[in-house]
Amino acid sequence: MEYANNILETIGNTPLVKINRLTAGLPCLVLAKYETFNPGNSTKDRMALKMIEDAEASGLLKPGGTIIEGTSGNTGMGLALAAIVKGYKMICVINDKQSREKIDILKAVGSEVHVCPTDVAPEDPRSYYSTARRLAEELPNAWYVNQYDNPSNAQAHFESTGPEIWEQTDGKVTHFVVGVGTGGTISGVGRYLKSQNPDVKVWGVDTYGSVFKKYHETGIFDKQEIYPYITEGIGEDILPENVDFDIIDGFTKVTDKDAAVYTRRLAREEGMFLGNSAGAAIKGVLQLKDKFKPDDVVVVLFHDHGSRYVGKIYNDSWMEQQGFLEADQKADTIKTTNK
């Protein structure tokens, strides 16, 4: 018989899927690393398990302990699944710009959830960074994950995601494109791919309101770049230690509207029901068109599943409120017939 001993053994080995219609104007082959096939429906399952296992090995996480993390939702989900299997309590600290679905999903898998305001500085005691740290200090036998600075985050992708992409493309990958948040995915995958072929180009997708692109280009951390934005899962108002800027060849920024619109287009034109950052990622690929040649193989990573954004990106009323929706883009095709 063939079966997994627990849900954690199903993490990884996600497929590569060709993108057809949205990339028809590009000269190259574009493949999506489709991370929603992980059990928690996101790429964060990989690093969540790695961070927990490394903390167990080092003695930072002890039996019966409490795992505490500030998360936009997906890392919390990955940590929660591992906590269930391994017997830990899970506390997720999330900011209030995240979708209601993410909060409800975290609660559904047994996590305690604290919601913090988005529009405060990272050092503000009300921020989700500060709140997570405080809870870890106050509660006995607690471990603060700190995915932003935890080296196991990037290492997980160096050990799993990167090798999978290299093997699945038979070493023909020429470009890797991904949204950047904590920096673990782009740094871990990028480091592995460049170790196999230094000519592989690594591009990060950033959002307006985030500091990454300007910092990479100038070395200046410009607080004037920071302002609230809607796109979930990418961008930061801090510089996580996991972002290895030396690995990254460049950034492209995508607007909130384009990220939302292209997320919906992926669902309607490719049959890919994905999260908000996927729209940003594919729009980023399209913006990089001039970087690609006919023989190139471009891999773009899609982080998470569309079920976490039903009340926002896939909701016509919400999209209209944001000014993101044109008349021909409406999702509501339900017809009522009176008999």
Side-chain angles (χ1 to χ4, degrees):
M1 296 186 292
E2 182 177 341
Y3 61 91
N5 289 301
N6 59 60
I7 198 65
L8 304 181
E9 291 187 0
T10 68
I11 295 172
N13 297 311
T14 56
L16 278 183
V17 183
K18 182 184 177 185
I19 302 176
N20 296 287
R21 293 178 179 171
L22 287 181
T23 57
L26 299 184
C28 54
L29 174 65
V30 180
L31 303 173
K33 184 63 170 162
Y34 215 90
E35 289 291 274
T36 69
F37 279 77
N38 286 306
N41 298 133
S42 93
T43 194
K44 299 294 189 177
D45 290 359
R46 299 174 185 264
M47 49 81 109
L49 180 58
K50 173 70 173 171
M51 291 188 297
I52 285 177
E53 289 179 340
D54 287 353
E56 290 172 330
S58 67
L60 290 172
L61 180 58
K62 299 177 175 61
T66 298
I67 300 170
I68 299 175
E69 181 60 337
T71 174
S72 61
N74 292 324
T75 300
M77 180 64 167
L79 291 167
L81 295 182
I84 291 166
V85 172
K86 292 173 170 288
Y88 301 113
K89 181 180 178 181
M90 183 71 220
I91 297 178
C92 292
V93 185
I94 195 167
N95 62 45
D96 58 11
K97 86 169 184 180
Q98 308 303 331
S99 67
R100 182 71 224 179
E101 289 87 352
K102 286 183 178 178
I103 296 171
D104 289 343
I105 288 169
L106 290 173
K107 290 180 177 180
V109 291
S111 295
E112 180 181 315
V113 180
H114 295 248
V115 181
C116 300
T118 301
D119 193 15
V120 295
E123 62 274 11
D124 189 299
R126 297 169 295 168
S127 77
Y128 81 125
Y129 308 103
S130 298
T131 301
R133 290 192 187 93
R134 175 179 57 78
L135 289 172
E137 292 169 357
E138 293 176 351
L139 297 174
N141 198 18
W143 170 59
Y144 173 43
V145 181
N146 189 14
Q147 61 181 306
Y148 300 94
D149 303 329
N150 189 324
S152 299
N153 178 352
Q155 186 63 22
H157 294 288
F158 180 84
E159 294 177 0
S160 66
T161 323
E164 286 176 27
I165 291 171
W166 183 257
E167 292 167 12
Q168 288 171 319
T169 62
D170 196 25
K172 294 182 174 64
V173 56
T174 59
H175 297 75
F176 178 61
V177 183
V178 65
V180 183
T182 68
T185 306
I186 194 168
S187 300
V189 173
R191 181 157 51 92
Y192 181 84
L193 295 179
K194 284 180 180 282
S195 74
Q196 302 302 304
N197 177 6
D199 292 331
V200 172
K201 301 300 181 185
V202 176
W203 281 86
V205 178
D206 198 11
T207 185
Y208 290 90
S210 167
V211 298
F212 289 143
K213 186 174 187 291
K214 182 168 184 178
Y215 183 81
H216 181 261
E217 293 171 354
T218 68
I220 298 170
F221 180 83
D222 186 357
K223 291 188 176 182
Q224 298 302 314
E225 292 278 300
I226 300 171
Y227 56 83
Y229 54 89
I230 293 170
T231 302
E232 298 182 35
I234 65 171
E236 282 299 340
D237 54 0
I238 59 173
L239 295 175
E241 291 181 15
N242 269 303
V243 183
D244 185 348
F245 288 97
D246 292 335
I247 289 291
I248 302 168
D249 291 284
F251 282 89
T252 184
K253 282 200 175 193
V254 175
T255 66
D256 285 332
K257 180 176 181 178
D258 279 345
V261 168
Y262 276 83
T263 299
R264 287 167 68 113
R265 289 190 64 182
L266 279 165
R268 289 199 162 197
E269 299 176 42
E270 301 286 347
M272 296 180 173
F273 186 51
L274 296 158
N276 194 185
S277 64
I282 193 61
K283 184 58 165 63
V285 169
L286 296 174
Q287 290 175 181
L288 294 169
K289 177 180 179 178
D290 293 343
K291 306 290 183 182
F292 307 138
K293 301 186 295 295
D295 292 334
D296 286 343
V297 176
V298 178
V299 175
V300 56
L301 187 141
F302 291 151
H303 282 91
D304 68 346
H305 197 260
S307 58
R308 289 164 189 173
Y309 305 86
V310 171
K312 297 177 75 173
I313 303 301
Y314 296 103
N315 180 281
D316 286 349
S317 296
W318 185 89
M319 289 284 285
E320 285 180 323
Q321 289 170 7
Q322 308 304 321
F324 293 167
L325 190 66
E326 307 298 334
D328 61 348
Q329 297 171 332
K330 289 194 174 183
D332 186 2
T333 58
I334 297 174
K335 306 297 182 184
T336 302
T337 303
N338 293 320
K339 293 185 179 179

